[in-house]
Amino acid sequence: MPFGLTCAPSVFQRLMDMVLADLSYETCLVYVDDVTVFGSTFEELLHRTEVVFQRIRDAKLKLRPSKCSFVRREVSFLGFVVSAAGIQTQPEKVKCVIE
């Protein structure tokens, strides 16, 4: 899809929602081109990642390895830091308010 089309983000979000429809909120979270896969154990995470990869492959979509990260204890997602401890605001987002 060409850059600059005003409807491009919503069309791509709809595509990702269709590709990962029954996996959202149980296996992964999807926001436009950010897909976060989660699991309670390493084995569960590995299996869920494999399922998500297969769905992406079946839809003939591609991932850029340089933008991917795997097996993280905490991730930044939509301005928040998500970990086993919970959800917190990214420190750099509140830095200017604190100062």
Side-chain angles (χ1 to χ4, degrees):
M1 178 173 293
F3 283 99
L5 295 176
T6 56
C7 65
S10 60
V11 170
F12 189 76
Q13 180 66 49
R14 192 172 324 129
L15 169 67
M16 293 303 291
D17 287 343
M18 289 188 310
V19 169
L20 301 171
D22 58 327
L23 302 178
S24 288
Y25 301 105
E26 291 181 20
T27 298
C28 62
L29 297 174
V30 182
Y31 182 74
V32 187
D33 62 348
D34 288 335
V35 179
T36 302
V37 182
F38 50 86
S40 301
T41 64
F42 178 74
E43 290 76 19
E44 182 180 50
L45 177 64
L46 198 61
H47 173 70
R48 288 178 172 188
T49 303
E50 196 173 326
V51 170
V52 169
F53 277 3
Q54 188 59 51
R55 291 285 183 87
I56 291 170
R57 187 179 303 118
D58 292 345
K60 297 187 180 7
L61 298 172
K62 296 179 182 178
L63 300 175
R64 181 173 293 161
S66 63
K67 289 189 161 192
C68 298
S69 59
F70 300 97
V71 192
R72 310 257 329 254
R73 293 214 178 260
E74 70 177 33
V75 295
S76 295
F77 190 73
L78 300 177
F80 295 94
V81 177
V82 182
S83 68
I87 301 172
Q88 300 164 343
T89 307
Q90 287 179 332
E92 58 270 11
K93 301 284 184 193
V94 296
K95 182 180 178 185
C96 64
V97 175
I98 292 171
E99 293 175 352

